[in-house]
Amino acid sequence: MYFSMITPKPGRERDAAASRATGPYREHQWLWQFFEAPEGTPRDFLFRSSDVDGMPRYHVVSARRPSPAMDGWDVQSREYDPKVAEGACLRFELRANPVVTHKREGKSRRDDVVMHAKREMLDARGLARWKDWVDEDKPPLYELVTNVCGQWLRSRAQQAGFAVIDGSLRVDNYNRVAEKAPKRANGKAIQLSTVDFSGELEVQDVERFRMALLQGIGHAKAFGCGLLLVRPA
């Protein structure tokens, strides 16, 4: 496996910006250009995009070493074989797509955890829309997002071999995205929600944690979600 950072070359920022695609579907297709392979090759990379000092930056974990496919972009790669001791404390960042699977009208559905929580609260009060709830018991959106997304991460953390250290978790940038995907077979737009987590964790199961670092956490991994970035606390 390889861990890479893809950034604009100094002095070539304009060329880099011109070639870059944005939006979850187009960004994913754009990154494929760094991994030349025959059509039909399954995706074998995770990525996380961010802006640092106003410039784009991509962290990528991949089965193949990316190539400098486009003018204006610099690719720095190293082999990636993470080994972390049980009990190690690390700082982490994660952009994830928190969803819950449940049954509705006899069919299995996957919903955004925040929208699912809202729906349950409205059903309990016999209301149809969030804006119809006007009494003082209505939670602020930030509080709701922090609570339900935090619960989602803690449940996934156990499966991924770590525990979030109490009092360290931040939940930011809850975002709902919709984008048309021209090559999608059913022609439907891609819709997903993302949220950024950061904080400190303790490694509890070395092998599960290693797999989480290599394979990611949660859904929508093709669209920039799931890559767990860690560094010493």
Side-chain angles (χ1 to χ4, degrees):
M1 299 293 288
Y2 297 91
F3 188 95
S4 305
M5 189 165 67
I6 301 175
T7 55
K9 290 180 179 176
R12 301 288 304 279
E13 291 85 357
R14 183 171 296 181
D15 294 336
S19 69
R20 183 191 182 199
T22 58
Y25 180 81
R26 290 178 174 81
E27 192 169 46
H28 173 233
Q29 294 297 308
W30 175 77
L31 272 169
W32 267 108
Q33 297 176 72
F34 291 91
F35 299 94
E36 295 180 9
E39 188 171 347
T41 301
R43 174 187 55 79
D44 53 5
F45 64 88
L46 298 167
F47 73 94
R48 164 76 186 273
S49 65
S50 58
D51 287 331
V52 179
D53 297 330
M55 299 303 296
R57 175 178 294 177
Y58 292 88
H59 290 98
V60 183
V61 169
S62 59
R64 291 172 288 140
R65 187 189 292 273
S67 63
M70 281 175 280
D71 286 345
W73 291 89
D74 184 41
V75 180
Q76 300 177 47
S77 296
R78 59 178 171 82
E79 292 188 3
Y80 189 47
D81 183 18
K83 292 181 174 60
V84 182
E86 184 174 329
C89 291
L90 302 169
R91 293 200 59 78
F92 75 91
E93 295 179 23
L94 170 70
R95 176 167 296 154
N97 168 227
V99 295
V100 60
T101 302
H102 62 98
K103 290 276 188 182
R104 187 189 301 167
E105 298 174 352
K107 296 182 179 179
S108 182
R109 294 178 57 92
R110 185 185 299 160
D111 282 345
D112 169 343
V113 294
V114 176
M115 299 306 292
H116 182 71
K118 280 185 170 181
R119 190 174 298 110
E120 286 193 327
M121 290 177 172
L122 292 175
D123 288 347
R125 289 160 178 78
L127 299 174
R129 299 173 300 180
W130 192 249
K131 67 180 182 181
D132 294 336
W133 186 0
V134 294
D135 65 37
E136 61 185 12
D137 292 335
K138 182 179 180 179
L141 181 60
Y142 176 77
E143 182 179 302
L144 178 66
V145 168
T146 299
N147 289 339
V148 298
C149 291
Q151 291 169 10
W152 177 89
L153 179 61
R154 287 186 173 88
S155 68
R156 295 303 183 281
Q158 186 175 13
Q159 300 168 18
F162 68 92
V164 178
I165 294 177
D166 289 344
S168 73
L169 181 62
R170 284 185 56 94
V171 181
D172 297 303
N173 302 324
Y174 172 67
N175 190 26
R176 290 172 57 79
V177 181
E179 179 189 10
K180 284 193 173 182
K183 294 183 179 179
R184 212 176 187 196
N186 59 16
K188 292 183 178 178
I190 292 170
Q191 298 186 51
L192 72 155
S193 60
T194 64
V195 66
D196 292 343
F197 297 101
S198 60
E200 295 184 5
L201 62 80
E202 179 183 327
V203 179
Q204 296 186 330
D205 184 308
V206 170
E207 188 53 31
R208 287 188 179 188
F209 186 68
R210 169 182 158 80
M211 296 310 295
L213 292 174
L214 296 177
Q215 299 179 356
I217 295 174
H219 294 276
K221 294 175 185 173
F223 305 119
C225 296
L227 177 56
L228 183 62
L229 299 172
V230 297
R231 57 187 169 86

